[in-house]
Amino acid sequence: MTDRPIDRLIAVMAALRHPETGCPWDREQDFATIAPYTVEEAYEVADAIGKGDAAALRDELGDLLFQVVYHARMAEERGWFGFDEVAAGIADKMIRRHPHVFGDAEARDQAAQTRAWEADKARERAARAESGVLDGIATTLPALMRARKLAGRAARVGFDWPDADSVLDKLDEETAELRAELAGADPARIEDELGDMFFVMVNLARKLGCDGEQALARANAKFERRFRAVEARLAAAGTTPEAAGLAEMEALWQAVKREG
C-alpha cells in the first residue's frame, strides 16, 4: 500500500474485491446492489451538514468517497474506466465550466454563471444525442427534486406560469379536482390528483425562490420538535399520547406553537 490516503483507499477496495482473497460480501456486489448505499451515504452527508457536526461530516464524507471508489473499482473490473479517469473527468469538466477562473473569460456573477453552466450542460446533452428538453434528468432522483428539475427545464423554453399567483390559482384548481375524486373513493384517481397537487406545490416553491425539499425538511423538523414537546408535557402530567384525547393534545400543540 502507498502513503497517499486516496491510493490506500483504492488499494483497500481492490483487496475487498479480490476474486480469491477478498470479502465474500464485497465480491458479490454489483452497481445495482451498491447504488442504494450510495444514495443513503449522500443523505447522511447532508444530515451531518444540517446538524453542524464536523466530526460526523468528516466520517460521512469518507463513507461517500468509499462509494465512489467502489463503483470505480467495479467499472475497472469490466474494463470501462478506473478511479483516475473519474477524477480526471470531473476536474476537466469543472475547468471547462469555469473559464472565468481557469481561462481568460470575464468574471461572472452568480446569475451569469448559472446561465453559462446550463448552456454547457445543454451542449454536453447534445453531444450525447439527448435532444429533448427533459433528457438527462435521472429517473431515480427523489420525486420532489425530479419535479423541480423537470419543471425548471421546461420553464427555460417558456413552458411556465407567469408568476406565483398563477401557480396558486392552479393549486386551487387541483384541490377542487381532488375533492371531487374523494366522493368516488377510487384510490388510483385520488393518488393521481394528489400527485398533481404535489407537482404544483413544487412549482410554487420554485416561483417563490424556495427549495421544496428543503422546505418540507424544515416542516418535518418543526413538527417533530413540537410533537416531542407535547409528549414531554403529557409525560410531566403523568400520561401518554395514547391515553390523552385529541382535544388535550391539540390544546398542548397550540400552546407549544405559540411559544415558537
Side-chain angles (χ1 to χ4, degrees), residues 181-231:
E181 291 296 340
L182 293 178
D186 181 338
R189 291 296 307 151
I190 290 172
E191 183 180 275
D192 187 61
E193 294 299 341
L194 186 60
D196 290 345
M197 286 185 66
F198 274 122
F199 192 81
V200 173
M201 285 295 295
V202 169
N203 279 278
L204 178 60
R206 181 177 58 83
K207 295 301 272 187
L208 293 172
C210 301
D211 184 294
E213 192 82 28
Q214 186 177 44
L216 182 56
R218 288 178 175 172
N220 289 342
K222 180 167 59 178
F223 177 86
E224 182 179 9
R225 183 180 69 252
R226 289 175 176 175
F227 191 82
R228 289 185 184 279
V230 169
E231 283 184 310

Side-chain angles (χ1 to χ4, degrees), residues 65-132:
L65 177 58
F66 182 74
Q67 293 296 309
V68 176
V69 170
Y70 209 134
H71 286 286
R73 177 63 193 181
M74 291 187 291
E76 186 174 1
E77 291 168 358
R78 298 188 182 198
W80 294 351
F81 54 81
F83 182 84
D84 284 350
E85 287 83 359
V86 173
I90 188 60
D92 290 344
K93 183 187 294 185
M94 291 303 103
I95 291 171
R96 183 175 67 250
R97 288 185 177 175
H98 296 82
H100 57 299
V101 175
F102 301 102
D104 54 6
E106 294 182 0
R108 299 169 175 168
D109 60 20
Q110 184 172 343
Q113 175 58 19
T114 298
R115 290 193 298 271
W117 183 280
E118 293 298 339
D120 194 64
K121 289 171 68 175
R123 287 191 291 271
E124 290 174 359
R125 290 194 297 271
R128 296 193 298 265
E130 296 175 352
S131 58

Side-chain angles (χ1 to χ4, degrees), residues 37 63 72 82 110 121 123 156 163 200 221 245 254-255:
Y37 296 102
D63 290 344
Q110 184 172 343
K121 289 171 68 175
R123 287 191 291 271
R156 289 206 293 272
D163 50 41
V200 173
Q254 293 301 328

